[in-house]
Structure formats: structure tokens, C-alpha cells
Amino acid sequence: SADGGGNLGLDSIPMGLPMSDPTAWATAMNNLGMAPMGMTGQPLLPDFDPALGMMTGIPPINPMMPGLGIVPPPIPPDMPAVKEIIHCKSCTLFPPNPHLPPPATRERPPGCKTVFVGGLPENGTEQIIMEVFEQCGEVIAIRKSKKNFCHIRFAEEFMVDKALYLSGYRIRLGSSTDKKDTGRLHVDFAQARDDLYEWECRQRMLAREERHRRRLEEERFRPPSPPPVVHYSDHEGSIVAEKLKDDTKFLEAIQTLLTWIERGEVNRRTANNFYSMIQSANSHIRRLVNEKAAHEKEMEEAKEKFKLALSGILVQFEQIVAVYHSASKQKAWDHFTKAQRKNISVWCKQAEEIRNIHNDELMGIRREEEMEMSDEEIEDPSEMKETEESALVSQVEALKEENDSLRWQLDAYRNEVELLKQEQGKASRDEDTTKEQQMKLLQQALQGMQKHLLKVQEEYKKREAELEKVKEDKLKIETLLENLKEQESSTSRVCACSQEKECPAEKTLSNSPVKSEREVLLVGIISTFLHVHPFGASIEYICSYLQRLDSKICTAEVEVLMTRLQNTFRQELSGVGASLEKRWKFCGFDGLKMT
């Protein structure tokens, strides 16, 4: 046509729209971040790059952005959006003032595909609305009102964002200037039940897929269920009994036996069979113990082999180091070149380091064996029976021996240091470095031995102090025992005298109404209770109070005791007929005068 043509394309959705000014459409589509296309499908701007289509400040629209929670970046406030005039076949769209604030919109409903369009011309028809908004995408339905607004539902959510771009444009039908042919478009999100229903269906589908995926993931990582255990019968019991005697099938059989016992298969008829199976399981313990002993024996043999091999390696290392040292002496050293001397000294250092590492490893193995031997000695029952004093004495003696051995080692180290000092004065300059290192190592060892000696001396002093304390405690206990024996002899004499004196008193007490200390306590408690209740109390009330103190007290015992003490307690009757009630009162003060 004469007006030319262009379509606003988003991915694979073509939208044809006739227009009179192709450059205006190109600018508008560039603002949207899309490559403008002509009628023939060729791009109007062949060098267009969507990543560079930001000259108007509008970010490029991605179809995956709306409706999926991806919000486009905000437009910088100092970069106003420049909108161009859009010419359509039946109308013209004029952009709003760029200095005005952007039109306000409501919060976007979830899954929104419907927009509200207000400010339409009074003479606007559905055909004109379709012509303007079909460039944004496929229109499913238009619901037009008589009051110059309508609702448009699109096929996809991202088309709503393109429709919002037209908000604020002034529309004019043809070239008419009549008020009924003009209007200002206001496009906003609209809340529709169909959109919400489709969004909820999609969310439920995603939730189902997520649950299915998690279930598959859990089933993949879930351990396999154990095989089912057969029910007990005499035939199955005989099979399991045979399996219990076989080492290769013991685990399966013992699990079956455990399941049967937990299910309650044991009864009087099957008790003998189960007992024989349990007896077979018990006999398997001996096999396990023998197997463990065999493995331990193999481990000990392997340890011995390793120790022997390691000691042989150490001997060879010592010989190699000795070769290096002999080569470093002046007789042979002067005949080597400088490079050869350097290599020999480096090899010597490496050999010494490796030798020291292996020596430490061998010493560690020996220490572990000594620790195991000491643990076995501690576990020996004969030594467990020793007293604390003898244990302290043995520890002190061991510390003395260790102290002496450490002193001897220190003397040996000192002699070695002196010899090294003498040899160092005679050696050449090339030997100085190696001797200094040896000196440093020996000095460090000497310092370590001195520190260890100080620690041993401190422990020795502590053990001596503990031994002295034990001896003092022993003397105190012996003196206490003698005092206790003397006190027992004196108390036995006093008791004999007091028994002779208390004989007549017991005779007099035997005639008293109170026969035991328990009854004396009961009399005191009852007297105190009745003294607080001057108008008396029933025998049930008194017994309920006493049973809080001792639940073994019975009502008959208390009543017999109170009737026996007539000068202390008095029973009174109150009421007439059915309301007759017996009350006990305390009369000890009056009884004292009478007696």
C-alpha cells in the first residue's frame, strides 16, 4: 500500500499493522528492545542489536519476564522515555509529555493476561481497539462498555507488558478533531477469574511435578527394604537351624530367628526347637572368638614382620649415612669437585632426615608395645589387689630409676657434645655447616632431656609427699581405732551399770498405760491436735490427720489408746437421734490435778 507496512514481532508471533510512517514504528519497536521487521520479513535496521536497544531508557522485553516472577530492571529517573507517534490505519496515537510522571498502575495480579483500557473515544469501535492492541499480541476477547472503557484478554502474560506501554497515549480517529473522536488511553492490570484460575492450575501442576520429582529423589536414595521373613514352621525351623551352623549363612539365619521371636512364635510346642536354635547361636560365639584370636595373631605377626623390616631398613640407612660422613672427611673430601661435594652434602641431609623419620616411627611402635604391656600389667588381678601405699612406693622407685637413666643419658649427651666440639676445632671449613647442625640438634635434645628431668624430679617430690601423707593418715587411723576400742570398753561398763539401775524403772513402766515409745509419740501429737481444737474432734478427723504422717495408723489403735488414757482424753456425745456425734476432747490439765 501507499502507507507502507510493518509488523511488531516478538519471537515467532507476527503482528501486521499498516502504518504511514515506517521510521516511527522502527523507533517505537527499538524502544521496546525488539528488531523492527518490514512487510517482507526483512529487518528495517539490519545492524540492530537488542542488547544495545536501550537508547530510550526502556529495557528490552523478554517473553519469559512477565508472569513468572521476573521483574524487569527499573528505568533510571534521569533518563526519560521518549515515545514516538504511532500511525495506524484508522487512527493515530500521539505520545504523552515525556516530562510528566509515568501513569500509575495497580499491583499486578498473579497470572494476569487481562488489561483495563480507559479513555477511549466515544466513537471508538471494537475494530479500532483490535487494530491498536493486536500489535501487542494475540487478542482472545474484548469486552467493551458503553462508558468509553473496555477489557482486553491476551493469549500470553508477556503481551500485557507491551499493552501497558501504550498507556498515556492520546488517540485520534482519522483526521477528525471532534471531541467524540479523541481520547487519552489509560492501560492498567485487570483482575479476571479466568486468569487466576489458569494461574492456580499451572501452580498446582508445578507443585505436582515438584512433589513427583521429590518422591522419585527420595525413592532413589532410600535404602532397599529387607527381604520378607517367612512364617515359622517345623520345616523352616530345621532349615534355619542348619543355617545357624554354617558360617556363611549365619547372618541371614540369626535375623530370621530374631524376627520369629519378636513375632511371638515361641510357645510350649515350639520351645524346644527355639532353644536348640538359641544354643546353636551361642555356640557360634566360640567360633567368633577363635576367628578374632586368629586375626589378632595374624596382626601381631604382621607387626613383627614390619618391625623387623623397618629395623633392617634403618640399619641400611645408618650404613649409607656413615658412607656419606666418611666421604665428608678431609682425606676423601679434597679429591671431589665442588659440584660433587654439594651433591654429597645434599644426599647426606636427605638420608639423615629419612633415617630420623623411620627411627621415630620405630620408636613409636616400641612405645605402643610398652603401653600395651603396661595395660596388661594393670589388668592383672594379682596387681589389682595391691594396696595404695605399695603402689605409690613402686611408682617412686620407678621414677628413681627413670631419673637415674635420664642422668646417664644426659652425661652421654654431654660427652658427645664435648667430642663434637673437639672434632669441630680440627675439621675444615666445609665441615662447619654439618657439625653446627648436629650441634644444634644435640643441644635441642639436651634441653629437652633437661626439661624432662625437671618434670621427673617434680613428680618424684609429689609422690614422696603423697607417700608421707598416706603414712600420716595411717597413723591417724590407728590412733582413732585405739580410742574407739577404749570408748567401747568404757561404754560397755557404763551400760552394765545402767541396766542394773533401770531394772526397777522398767518394772514401773510396765504398769503404765503407755506401753511403747510409738504410743508416747501418738499421745503427744493427738494432744497437740486437740489443744488446737478446743471444741473437740471426731475420731475419723483425728485419724485422717495422723494418716498424713503415717499411713499405717488405723482408727481402732488410736481409739483404744485414747480410751486407755481417761485422765488425758475425754469422749463427749453431742446431738440427738440421727445427728448424734462422738467428740474427743483434751482434758490433760484437769487430769493432772486429779492424779
Side-chain angles (χ1 to χ4, degrees):
S1 64
D3 295 335
N7 58 3
L8 180 62
L10 232 177
D11 292 344
S12 62
I13 304 173
M15 293 172 287
L17 179 64
M19 58 185 178
S20 59
D21 189 0
T23 58
W25 272 112
T27 306
M29 294 165 74
N30 185 24
N31 292 338
L32 288 172
M34 297 176 291
M37 305 296 289
M39 289 294 291
T40 60
Q42 300 295 327
L44 296 176
L45 300 174
D47 297 332
F48 177 79
D49 186 3
L52 301 176
M54 302 291 291
M55 62 181 182
T56 58
I58 298 174
I61 295 176
N62 187 351
M64 299 301 290
M65 284 163 55
L68 298 178
I70 303 173
V71 181
I75 301 171
D78 56 348
M79 191 183 293
V82 179
K83 297 183 179 182
E84 302 291 336
I85 299 173
I86 300 174
H87 296 277
C88 301
K89 186 176 180 181
S90 304
C91 62
T92 307
L93 300 175
F94 297 94
N97 187 354
H99 299 292
L100 293 175
T105 57
R106 61 178 293 179
E107 185 180 357
R108 182 178 191 134
C112 179
K113 296 181 183 178
T114 306
V115 295
F116 166 81
V117 182
L120 294 170
E122 291 184 14
N123 294 333
T125 61
E126 286 190 11
Q127 185 179 0
I128 294 171
I129 296 169
M130 179 70 76
E131 181 184 345
V132 173
F133 284 96
E134 71 179 354
Q135 60 182 318
C136 301
E138 183 184 353
V139 177
I140 294 177
I142 297 176
R143 294 190 295 275
K144 190 175 182 303
S145 176
K146 296 178 182 180
K147 295 184 179 180
N148 303 332
F149 70 87
C150 69
H151 289 85
I152 303 173
R153 189 163 191 259
F154 292 98
E156 298 294 338
E157 294 182 31
F158 66 87
M159 300 174 183
V160 173
D161 296 274
K162 296 165 66 177
L164 288 175
Y165 177 74
L166 300 175
S167 184
Y169 270 81
R170 289 180 289 107
I171 184 171
R172 187 178 69 187
L173 303 181
S175 59
S176 174
T177 57
D178 190 4
K179 189 175 182 181
K180 294 183 178 180
D181 293 332
T182 59
R184 183 182 294 275
L185 297 179
H186 175 69
V187 187
D188 197 357
F189 300 110
Q191 192 166 6
R193 286 193 298 272
D194 295 341
D195 297 344
L196 183 61
Y197 176 73
E198 288 181 5
W199 181 80
E200 288 176 349
C201 290
R202 189 162 62 253
Q203 295 299 317
R204 283 195 291 271
M205 182 184 68
L206 293 172
R208 282 196 299 273
E209 290 178 356
E210 180 67 18
R211 285 198 299 272
H212 182 65
R213 187 187 64 78
R214 287 183 181 176
R215 196 178 301 114
L216 290 176
E217 195 75 16
E218 289 174 359
E219 288 176 358
R220 190 162 65 88
F221 287 106
R222 186 179 300 156
S225 58
V229 179
V230 296
H231 290 280
Y232 174 78
S233 65
D234 293 338
H235 175 66
E236 294 293 337
S238 62
I239 293 172
V240 171
E242 291 297 327
K243 286 182 179 179
L244 286 171
K245 297 174 183 177
D246 190 357
D247 292 343
T248 58
K249 300 178 181 178
F250 179 79
L251 284 174
E252 179 186 355
I254 199 71
Q255 187 64 35
T256 306
L257 177 61
L258 176 63
T259 307
W260 285 347
I261 294 172
E262 289 178 350
R263 282 180 183 172
E265 300 284 354
V266 182
N267 51 36
R268 289 186 179 179
R269 186 177 65 82
T270 62
N272 292 329
N273 294 335
F274 275 98
Y275 178 77
S276 64
M277 286 188 282
I278 293 169
Q279 195 173 9
S280 300
N282 184 41
S283 63
H284 188 73
I285 293 173
R286 283 191 233 102
R287 295 199 294 272
L288 292 175
V289 171
N290 294 332
E291 187 178 353
K292 182 191 172 188
H295 287 307
E296 286 178 350
K297 187 177 179 182
E298 290 177 1
M299 187 175 68
E300 292 295 330
E301 290 176 356
K303 279 184 180 178
E304 288 295 329
K305 288 180 181 178
F306 176 70
K307 193 167 70 173
L308 290 172
L310 192 59
S311 60
I313 291 168
L314 278 173
V315 169
Q316 295 176 20
F317 269 118
E318 292 288 346
Q319 292 174 355
I320 293 168
V321 171
V323 169
Y324 288 140
H325 284 305
S326 62
S328 300
K329 291 181 180 179
Q330 192 171 5
K331 290 180 182 179
W333 192 254
D334 293 338
H335 300 286
F336 295 119
T337 63
K338 188 176 286 187
Q340 290 173 346
R341 291 176 186 175
K342 186 177 180 181
N343 289 335
I344 291 170
S345 60
V346 170
W347 295 339
C348 183
K349 288 178 185 178
Q350 291 176 355
E352 285 178 349
E353 289 176 358
I354 298 170
R355 180 198 61 186
N356 293 333
I357 291 168
H358 284 76
N359 195 8
D360 292 341
E361 189 173 356
L362 184 61
M363 292 299 292
I365 293 170
R366 288 175 179 171
R367 278 195 220 98
E368 288 178 0
E369 290 179 353
E370 290 175 0
M371 292 287 288
E372 289 175 0
M373 292 293 291
S374 63
D375 291 340
E376 291 174 1
E377 289 174 0
I378 289 168
E379 290 174 1
D380 194 4
S382 62
E383 289 188 4
M384 289 292 288
K385 294 177 182 178
E386 291 179 358
T387 59
E388 186 180 359
E389 183 178 357
S390 62
L392 286 170
V393 171
S394 62
Q395 287 178 3
V396 169
E397 290 176 355
L399 286 170
K400 283 181 180 178
E401 292 176 1
E402 191 176 359
N403 192 2
D404 295 336
S405 65
L406 287 171
R407 283 178 182 170
W408 296 335
Q409 288 179 11
L410 276 173
D411 294 336
Y413 277 122
R414 283 172 184 162
N415 294 330
E416 288 181 10
V417 169
E418 289 176 358
L419 290 172
L420 285 171
K421 285 180 180 179
Q422 293 174 3
E423 290 178 4
Q424 187 180 8
K426 298 176 183 179
S428 62
R429 294 178 181 178
D430 297 331
E431 295 177 353
D432 291 344
T433 55
T434 56
K435 298 297 181 180
E436 285 177 1
Q437 290 179 356
Q438 289 179 359
M439 282 287 294
K440 287 179 182 178
L441 291 172
L442 288 170
Q443 285 175 358
Q444 289 176 359
L446 186 62
Q447 288 176 0
M449 297 296 289
Q450 286 176 350
K451 290 179 181 177
H452 189 57
L453 180 61
L454 291 172
K455 289 181 182 178
V456 170
Q457 287 176 352
E458 289 177 359
E459 289 181 1
Y460 175 67
K461 291 177 182 178
K462 288 180 182 178
R463 297 294 181 182
E464 282 186 344
E466 289 178 359
L467 186 61
E468 290 177 359
K469 286 182 181 179
V470 169
K471 288 179 179 179
E472 291 176 0
D473 293 339
K474 190 175 179 182
L475 290 172
K476 288 179 182 179
I477 290 166
E478 289 177 355
T479 53
L480 286 171
L481 286 171
E482 290 176 358
N483 293 332
L484 286 171
K485 287 178 182 178
E486 292 176 359
Q487 288 178 2
E488 284 178 359
S489 60
S490 61
T491 49
S492 59
R493 294 171 187 170
V494 172
C495 288
C497 297
S498 60
Q499 283 176 0
E500 294 175 358
K501 293 178 181 179
E502 286 177 358
C503 286
E506 287 178 358
K507 291 178 182 178
T508 56
L509 282 172
S510 61
N511 297 326
S512 65
V514 181
K515 297 179 179 179
S516 65
E517 187 178 358
R518 174 183 171 83
E519 290 184 355
V520 173
L521 290 171
L522 284 174
V523 169
I525 293 167
I526 295 167
S527 303
T528 307
F529 180 77
L530 291 177
H531 186 65
V532 178
H533 299 77
F535 297 103
S538 62
I539 189 68
E540 290 82 6
Y541 187 27
I542 296 168
C543 288
S544 66
Y545 174 73
L546 293 174
Q547 284 172 356
R548 291 181 186 176
L549 304 175
D550 186 2
S551 58
K552 298 179 182 178
I553 295 172
C554 60
T555 308
E557 179 187 358
V558 175
E559 192 169 7
V560 168
L561 178 63
M562 293 175 72
T563 51
R564 206 187 304 152
L565 301 170
Q566 296 179 358
N567 294 327
T568 309
F569 305 107
R570 183 174 66 252
Q571 188 179 17
E572 293 182 356
L573 299 176
S574 61
V576 179
S579 62
L580 187 65
E581 185 180 6
K582 295 179 180 179
R583 288 180 174 272
W584 287 91
K585 290 187 178 180
F586 178 71
C587 60
F589 299 112
D590 299 334
L592 185 63
K593 296 175 183 179
M594 293 171 65
T595 56

